[in-house]
PDB file of all heavy atoms in Angstrom:
ATOM      1  N   GLY A 115      38.211  -0.056 -48.178  1.00  0.00           N
ATOM      2  CA  GLY A 115      37.322  -1.169 -48.362  1.00  0.00           C
ATOM      3  C   GLY A 115      37.998  -2.291 -49.155  1.00  0.00           C
ATOM      4  O   GLY A 115      39.097  -2.092 -49.720  1.00  0.00           O
ATOM      5  N   GLU A 116      37.380  -3.421 -49.166  1.00  0.00           N
ATOM      6  CA  GLU A 116      37.884  -4.571 -49.916  1.00  0.00           C
ATOM      7  C   GLU A 116      36.755  -5.068 -50.796  1.00  0.00           C
ATOM      8  O   GLU A 116      35.620  -5.245 -50.317  1.00  0.00           O
ATOM      9  CB  GLU A 116      38.333  -5.666 -48.938  1.00  0.00           C
ATOM     10  CG  GLU A 116      38.920  -6.869 -49.630  1.00  0.00           C
ATOM     11  CD  GLU A 116      39.483  -7.891 -48.657  1.00  0.00           C
ATOM     12  OE1 GLU A 116      40.631  -7.735 -48.222  1.00  0.00           O
ATOM     13  OE2 GLU A 116      38.713  -8.838 -48.297  1.00  0.00           O
ATOM     14  N   PHE A 117      37.054  -5.259 -52.061  1.00  0.00           N
ATOM     15  CA  PHE A 117      36.055  -5.639 -53.028  1.00  0.00           C
ATOM     16  C   PHE A 117      36.536  -6.848 -53.809  1.00  0.00           C
ATOM     17  O   PHE A 117      37.633  -6.825 -54.399  1.00  0.00           O
ATOM     18  CB  PHE A 117      35.766  -4.460 -53.989  1.00  0.00           C
ATOM     19  CG  PHE A 117      35.310  -3.224 -53.265  1.00  0.00           C
ATOM     20  CD1 PHE A 117      36.246  -2.343 -52.797  1.00  0.00           C
ATOM     21  CD2 PHE A 117      33.987  -2.995 -53.054  1.00  0.00           C
ATOM     22  CE1 PHE A 117      35.843  -1.183 -52.118  1.00  0.00           C
ATOM     23  CE2 PHE A 117      33.556  -1.853 -52.377  1.00  0.00           C
ATOM     24  CZ  PHE A 117      34.507  -0.957 -51.890  1.00  0.00           C
ATOM     25  N   HIS A 118      35.749  -7.882 -53.830  1.00  0.00           N
ATOM     26  CA  HIS A 118      36.081  -9.109 -54.586  1.00  0.00           C
ATOM     27  C   HIS A 118      35.403  -9.051 -55.930  1.00  0.00           C
ATOM     28  O   HIS A 118      34.156  -8.937 -55.993  1.00  0.00           O
ATOM     29  CB  HIS A 118      35.648 -10.341 -53.793  1.00  0.00           C
ATOM     30  CG  HIS A 118      36.368 -10.473 -52.490  1.00  0.00           C
ATOM     31  ND1 HIS A 118      37.452 -11.287 -52.341  1.00  0.00           N
ATOM     32  CD2 HIS A 118      36.182  -9.858 -51.305  1.00  0.00           C
ATOM     33  CE1 HIS A 118      37.915 -11.192 -51.118  1.00  0.00           C
ATOM     34  NE2 HIS A 118      37.161 -10.327 -50.454  1.00  0.00           N
ATOM     35  N   THR A 119      36.160  -9.127 -56.991  1.00  0.00           N
ATOM     36  CA  THR A 119      35.633  -9.160 -58.353  1.00  0.00           C
ATOM     37  C   THR A 119      36.265 -10.341 -59.077  1.00  0.00           C
ATOM     38  O   THR A 119      37.257 -10.910 -58.628  1.00  0.00           O
ATOM     39  CB  THR A 119      35.985  -7.886 -59.123  1.00  0.00           C
ATOM     40  OG1 THR A 119      37.353  -7.908 -59.532  1.00  0.00           O
ATOM     41  CG2 THR A 119      35.726  -6.622 -58.306  1.00  0.00           C
ATOM     42  N   ARG A 120      35.730 -10.695 -60.221  1.00  0.00           N
ATOM     43  CA  ARG A 120      36.333 -11.782 -60.962  1.00  0.00           C
ATOM     44  C   ARG A 120      37.690 -11.359 -61.585  1.00  0.00           C
ATOM     45  O   ARG A 120      38.484 -12.148 -62.019  1.00  0.00           O
ATOM     46  CB  ARG A 120      35.405 -12.317 -62.039  1.00  0.00           C
ATOM     47  CG  ARG A 120      35.442 -11.585 -63.345  1.00  0.00           C
ATOM     48  CD  ARG A 120      34.798 -12.412 -64.424  1.00  0.00           C
ATOM     49  NE  ARG A 120      34.516 -11.647 -65.613  1.00  0.00           N
ATOM     50  CZ  ARG A 120      35.332 -11.595 -66.670  1.00  0.00           C
ATOM     51  NH1 ARG A 120      36.448 -12.266 -66.709  1.00  0.00           N
ATOM     52  NH2 ARG A 120      34.960 -10.874 -67.706  1.00  0.00           N
ATOM     53  N   PHE A 121      37.939 -10.029 -61.580  1.00  0.00           N
ATOM     54  CA  PHE A 121      39.197  -9.509 -62.120  1.00  0.00           C
ATOM     55  C   PHE A 121      40.280  -9.443 -61.049  1.00  0.00           C
ATOM     56  O   PHE A 121      41.426  -9.150 -61.357  1.00  0.00           O
ATOM     57  CB  PHE A 121      38.945  -8.111 -62.680  1.00  0.00           C
ATOM     58  CG  PHE A 121      37.838  -8.066 -63.713  1.00  0.00           C
ATOM     59  CD1 PHE A 121      36.554  -7.706 -63.344  1.00  0.00           C
ATOM     60  CD2 PHE A 121      38.069  -8.483 -64.998  1.00  0.00           C
ATOM     61  CE1 PHE A 121      35.531  -7.696 -64.283  1.00  0.00           C
ATOM     62  CE2 PHE A 121      37.057  -8.497 -65.937  1.00  0.00           C
ATOM     63  CZ  PHE A 121      35.791  -8.091 -65.566  1.00  0.00           C
ATOM     64  N   GLY A 122      39.911  -9.710 -59.808  1.00  0.00           N
ATOM     65  CA  GLY A 122      40.863  -9.695 -58.684  1.00  0.00           C
ATOM     66  C   GLY A 122      40.270  -8.953 -57.501  1.00  0.00           C
ATOM     67  O   GLY A 122      39.202  -8.342 -57.619  1.00  0.00           O
ATOM     68  N   VAL A 123      40.964  -9.062 -56.373  1.00  0.00           N
ATOM     69  CA  VAL A 123      40.510  -8.373 -55.162  1.00  0.00           C
ATOM     70  C   VAL A 123      41.108  -6.968 -55.161  1.00  0.00           C
ATOM     71  O   VAL A 123      42.299  -6.791 -55.425  1.00  0.00           O
ATOM     72  CB  VAL A 123      40.956  -9.152 -53.903  1.00  0.00           C
ATOM     73  CG1 VAL A 123      40.579  -8.396 -52.643  1.00  0.00           C
ATOM     74  CG2 VAL A 123      40.352 -10.562 -53.914  1.00  0.00           C
ATOM     75  N   ILE A 124      40.254  -6.009 -54.865  1.00  0.00           N
ATOM     76  CA  ILE A 124      40.684  -4.613 -54.718  1.00  0.00           C
ATOM     77  C   ILE A 124      40.792  -4.320 -53.223  1.00  0.00           C
ATOM     78  O   ILE A 124      39.823  -4.464 -52.494  1.00  0.00           O
ATOM     79  CB  ILE A 124      39.635  -3.684 -55.364  1.00  0.00           C
ATOM     80  CG1 ILE A 124      39.514  -3.963 -56.867  1.00  0.00           C
ATOM     81  CG2 ILE A 124      39.964  -2.222 -55.087  1.00  0.00           C
ATOM     82  CD1 ILE A 124      38.293  -3.305 -57.512  1.00  0.00           C
ATOM     83  N   ASP A 125      41.979  -3.919 -52.806  1.00  0.00           N
ATOM     84  CA  ASP A 125      42.223  -3.560 -51.423  1.00  0.00           C
ATOM     85  C   ASP A 125      42.474  -2.056 -51.359  1.00  0.00           C
ATOM     86  O   ASP A 125      43.528  -1.596 -51.787  1.00  0.00           O
ATOM     87  CB  ASP A 125      43.441  -4.330 -50.912  1.00  0.00           C
ATOM     88  CG  ASP A 125      43.768  -4.101 -49.466  1.00  0.00           C
ATOM     89  OD1 ASP A 125      43.127  -3.229 -48.817  1.00  0.00           O
ATOM     90  OD2 ASP A 125      44.703  -4.751 -48.959  1.00  0.00           O
ATOM     91  N   LEU A 126      41.486  -1.279 -50.908  1.00  0.00           N
ATOM     92  CA  LEU A 126      41.601   0.164 -50.809  1.00  0.00           C
ATOM     93  C   LEU A 126      41.926   0.570 -49.370  1.00  0.00           C
ATOM     94  O   LEU A 126      41.213   0.193 -48.456  1.00  0.00           O
ATOM     95  CB  LEU A 126      40.269   0.823 -51.207  1.00  0.00           C
ATOM     96  CG  LEU A 126      39.890   0.747 -52.676  1.00  0.00           C
ATOM     97  CD1 LEU A 126      38.438   1.247 -52.852  1.00  0.00           C
ATOM     98  CD2 LEU A 126      40.811   1.585 -53.509  1.00  0.00           C
ATOM     99  N   THR A 127      42.981   1.344 -49.214  1.00  0.00           N
ATOM    100  CA  THR A 127      43.398   1.843 -47.890  1.00  0.00           C
ATOM    101  C   THR A 127      43.328   3.356 -47.930  1.00  0.00           C
ATOM    102  O   THR A 127      43.842   3.990 -48.853  1.00  0.00           O
ATOM    103  CB  THR A 127      44.814   1.361 -47.572  1.00  0.00           C
ATOM    104  OG1 THR A 127      44.830  -0.078 -47.580  1.00  0.00           O
ATOM    105  CG2 THR A 127      45.250   1.864 -46.205  1.00  0.00           C
ATOM    106  N   HIS A 128      42.713   3.930 -46.915  1.00  0.00           N
ATOM    107  CA  HIS A 128      42.538   5.380 -46.833  1.00  0.00           C
ATOM    108  C   HIS A 128      43.864   6.071 -46.535  1.00  0.00           C
ATOM    109  O   HIS A 128      44.649   5.627 -45.733  1.00  0.00           O
ATOM    110  CB  HIS A 128      41.539   5.738 -45.762  1.00  0.00           C
ATOM    111  CG  HIS A 128      41.370   7.230 -45.598  1.00  0.00           C
ATOM    112  ND1 HIS A 128      40.723   8.023 -46.510  1.00  0.00           N
ATOM    113  CD2 HIS A 128      41.797   8.070 -44.609  1.00  0.00           C
ATOM    114  CE1 HIS A 128      40.756   9.268 -46.116  1.00  0.00           C
ATOM    115  NE2 HIS A 128      41.405   9.309 -44.947  1.00  0.00           N
ATOM    116  N   SER A 129      44.083   7.220 -47.206  1.00  0.00           N
ATOM    117  CA  SER A 129      45.222   8.077 -46.949  1.00  0.00           C
ATOM    118  C   SER A 129      44.714   9.434 -46.514  1.00  0.00           C
ATOM    119  O   SER A 129      43.811   9.988 -47.139  1.00  0.00           O
ATOM    120  CB  SER A 129      46.085   8.244 -48.200  1.00  0.00           C
ATOM    121  OG  SER A 129      47.088   9.199 -47.958  1.00  0.00           O
ATOM    122  N   LYS A 130      45.303   9.980 -45.437  1.00  0.00           N
ATOM    123  CA  LYS A 130      44.909  11.272 -44.927  1.00  0.00           C
ATOM    124  C   LYS A 130      45.752  12.399 -45.558  1.00  0.00           C
ATOM    125  O   LYS A 130      45.538  13.575 -45.311  1.00  0.00           O
ATOM    126  CB  LYS A 130      45.109  11.344 -43.412  1.00  0.00           C
ATOM    127  CG  LYS A 130      44.165  10.450 -42.680  1.00  0.00           C
ATOM    128  CD  LYS A 130      44.420  10.541 -41.175  1.00  0.00           C
ATOM    129  CE  LYS A 130      43.505   9.573 -40.437  1.00  0.00           C
ATOM    130  NZ  LYS A 130      43.727   9.556 -39.002  1.00  0.00           N
ATOM    131  N   LEU A 131      46.692  12.044 -46.452  1.00  0.00           N
ATOM    132  CA  LEU A 131      47.553  13.033 -47.071  1.00  0.00           C
ATOM    133  C   LEU A 131      46.750  13.950 -47.984  1.00  0.00           C
ATOM    134  O   LEU A 131      45.797  13.516 -48.640  1.00  0.00           O
ATOM    135  CB  LEU A 131      48.659  12.353 -47.884  1.00  0.00           C
ATOM    136  CG  LEU A 131      49.687  11.561 -47.111  1.00  0.00           C
ATOM    137  CD1 LEU A 131      50.619  10.846 -48.101  1.00  0.00           C
ATOM    138  CD2 LEU A 131      50.495  12.489 -46.194  1.00  0.00           C
ATOM    139  N   ALA A 132      47.180  15.194 -48.051  1.00  0.00           N
ATOM    140  CA  ALA A 132      46.545  16.155 -48.963  1.00  0.00           C
ATOM    141  C   ALA A 132      46.973  15.813 -50.399  1.00  0.00           C
ATOM    142  O   ALA A 132      48.116  15.356 -50.601  1.00  0.00           O
ATOM    143  CB  ALA A 132      47.013  17.571 -48.620  1.00  0.00           C
ATOM    144  N   PRO A 133      46.098  16.028 -51.351  1.00  0.00           N
ATOM    145  CA  PRO A 133      46.480  15.721 -52.773  1.00  0.00           C
ATOM    146  C   PRO A 133      47.788  16.390 -53.192  1.00  0.00           C
ATOM    147  O   PRO A 133      48.530  15.794 -53.965  1.00  0.00           O
ATOM    148  CB  PRO A 133      45.271  16.275 -53.551  1.00  0.00           C
ATOM    149  CG  PRO A 133      44.114  16.132 -52.615  1.00  0.00           C
ATOM    150  CD  PRO A 133      44.686  16.420 -51.238  1.00  0.00           C
ATOM    151  N   SER A 134      48.065  17.576 -52.676  1.00  0.00           N
ATOM    152  CA  SER A 134      49.310  18.265 -53.044  1.00  0.00           C
ATOM    153  C   SER A 134      50.542  17.468 -52.614  1.00  0.00           C
ATOM    154  O   SER A 134      51.608  17.587 -53.227  1.00  0.00           O
ATOM    155  CB  SER A 134      49.336  19.650 -52.446  1.00  0.00           C
ATOM    156  OG  SER A 134      49.312  19.584 -51.032  1.00  0.00           O
ATOM    157  N   ARG A 135      50.420  16.651 -51.572  1.00  0.00           N
ATOM    158  CA  ARG A 135      51.533  15.813 -51.097  1.00  0.00           C
ATOM    159  C   ARG A 135      51.612  14.461 -51.829  1.00  0.00           C
ATOM    160  O   ARG A 135      52.619  13.777 -51.775  1.00  0.00           O
ATOM    161  CB  ARG A 135      51.444  15.590 -49.590  1.00  0.00           C
ATOM    162  CG  ARG A 135      51.506  16.857 -48.820  1.00  0.00           C
ATOM    163  CD  ARG A 135      52.283  16.849 -47.523  1.00  0.00           C
ATOM    164  NE  ARG A 135      53.234  15.825 -47.268  1.00  0.00           N
ATOM    165  CZ  ARG A 135      53.205  15.041 -46.199  1.00  0.00           C
ATOM    166  NH1 ARG A 135      52.241  15.183 -45.320  1.00  0.00           N
ATOM    167  NH2 ARG A 135      54.162  14.144 -46.021  1.00  0.00           N
TER     168      ARG A 135
END
Side-chain angles (χ1 to χ4, degrees):
E116 183 175 274
F117 302 88
H118 296 262
T119 76
R120 86 162 166 98
F121 305 98
V123 176
I124 297 166
D125 182 356
L126 291 170
T127 301
H128 176 72
S129 173
K130 294 179 183 178
L131 293 174
S134 61
R135 297 219 20 235

